[in-house]
Amino acid sequence: MTQAPLPYAEVIGDPIAHSKSPLIHGFWLQKLGIKAEYRRTRIEPANLYQWLSQRRADPLWRGANLTIPHKEKILALVQDPEGLAATVGAMNIVVPGVHGLPSGFNSDIDGFAEPLDNVELKGKSAALYGAGGAARAVLFALKQMGISHVTILNRSEERAQALLKQFNMAGQILPLLAPLPAVELVVNSTALGMTGYDSLRPDLSGLPSEAIVYDIVYSPLETELLSEANSRGLRTLDGLNMLIGQAAKAFQLFFGAEAPRDHDFELRALLAA
């Protein structure tokens, strides 16, 4: 007897083979006994509209996470109930709309901030690598945390300057490979250091001993950036922190259930294997 097709959600991006989102959502679905699937789908930028049109017509589709390079491009194609176009300028979740167009949300902000909940950052300074969709969520979160000055290191000075202006934050723009200033928090929001990409290994010698180095890349789990920070005795946060945190809101939107976060230790072990 052929099994009936299951409801499904997915993660889309280009590239996408590295994504661990199917492991996370599959783990939670199994823990809760929910009969559904979570898939990995490579979608090139030129095919984003076609993909969305196909999914809108599929009654089994429950939504999608979006990663590089779709987080900004999706804004023009979906409803924006949280006003993200005017604030963050990026989305990482799309779900079916009640009437017509699907709706977009952003869980990257809370996912990024979650492991920093107990860190006092008000009035402190940060350095941020990148000015793309993930950087927008990070910068939005940093402003909420009270960061007073941010240095953005990016290939395009114009793009980075536009971010500082949009978020009305004090800061400076430096070339991607410029020496790091003495900041309390360093964040890599780019794909640098990810498997298949160029590495990111800046000189961290100028950072204070209490500095935190946070890399949102999770493949590999210990990037060269984190390895260098660990060798200097600095506190580090890897990409699984943000990945699991942002996935929880998506899971609730897709499947109508709270993610079983009491199993995070077991989940991290699975993802790190």
Side-chain angles (χ1 to χ4, degrees), residues 15-252:
I16 199 59
H18 67 280
S19 176
K20 293 183 182 290
S21 291
L23 276 175
I24 297 174
H25 289 269
F27 177 85
W28 288 338
L29 288 170
Q30 184 179 39
K31 287 294 182 185
L32 296 177
I34 297 174
K35 295 190 180 301
E37 295 177 337
Y38 188 95
R39 306 171 182 175
R40 183 191 291 115
T41 310
R42 178 174 176 244
I43 302 295
E44 297 178 359
N47 296 329
L48 186 61
Y49 178 79
Q50 181 184 13
W51 164 81
L52 189 62
S53 297
Q54 292 173 343
R55 293 301 187 263
R56 287 176 62 187
D58 187 346
L60 294 175
W61 184 65
R62 296 295 179 265
N65 286 113
L66 296 93
T67 186
I68 297 171
H70 302 309
K71 293 184 180 185
E72 294 169 86
K73 294 179 173 62
I74 196 67
L75 287 165
L77 304 179
V78 298
Q79 296 184 82
D80 184 11
E82 295 181 337
L84 294 169
T87 54
V88 184
M91 297 171 172
N92 72 312
I93 299 172
V94 173
V95 295
V98 178
H99 304 292
L101 280 178
S103 296
F105 300 90
N106 194 310
S107 63
D108 279 340
I109 303 160
D110 293 339
F112 169 79
E114 186 177 290
L116 293 169
D117 277 349
N118 297 320
V119 180
E120 179 53 62
L121 292 172
K122 189 173 183 179
K124 296 185 177 179
S125 57
L128 172 64
Y129 283 95
R136 288 177 170 275
V138 169
L139 203 57
F140 188 86
L142 293 180
K143 183 172 183 178
Q144 289 182 319
M145 293 173 192
I147 287 286
S148 61
H149 186 280
V150 61
T151 298
I152 300 180
L153 300 99
N154 194 58
R155 289 193 177 98
S156 167
E157 179 180 350
E158 182 180 2
R159 185 176 174 88
Q161 194 67 56
L163 270 191
L164 278 184
K165 183 178 180 181
Q166 179 183 343
F167 288 96
N168 192 27
M169 293 186 73
Q172 63 177 335
I173 310 302
L174 293 178
L176 192 63
L177 302 179
L180 274 172
V183 296
E184 286 86 6
L185 175 66
V186 177
V187 182
N188 175 33
S189 73
T190 74
L192 292 174
M194 185 187 294
T195 302
Y197 285 80
D198 292 338
S199 63
L200 177 63
R201 192 168 186 172
D203 182 0
L204 305 181
S205 61
L207 297 181
S209 60
E210 70 274 13
I212 300 171
V213 179
Y214 191 162
D215 197 336
I216 72 169
V217 169
Y218 54 83
S219 178
L221 190 54
E222 184 176 67
T223 61
E224 289 190 59
L225 173 61
L226 295 186
S227 177
E228 177 68 16
N230 283 323
S231 73
R232 293 183 176 276
L234 300 174
R235 180 183 172 186
T236 59
L237 294 169
D238 62 49
L240 291 188
N241 290 281
M242 181 171 174
L243 184 67
I244 295 172
Q246 64 81 26
K249 178 177 178 177
F251 186 85
Q252 199 281 329

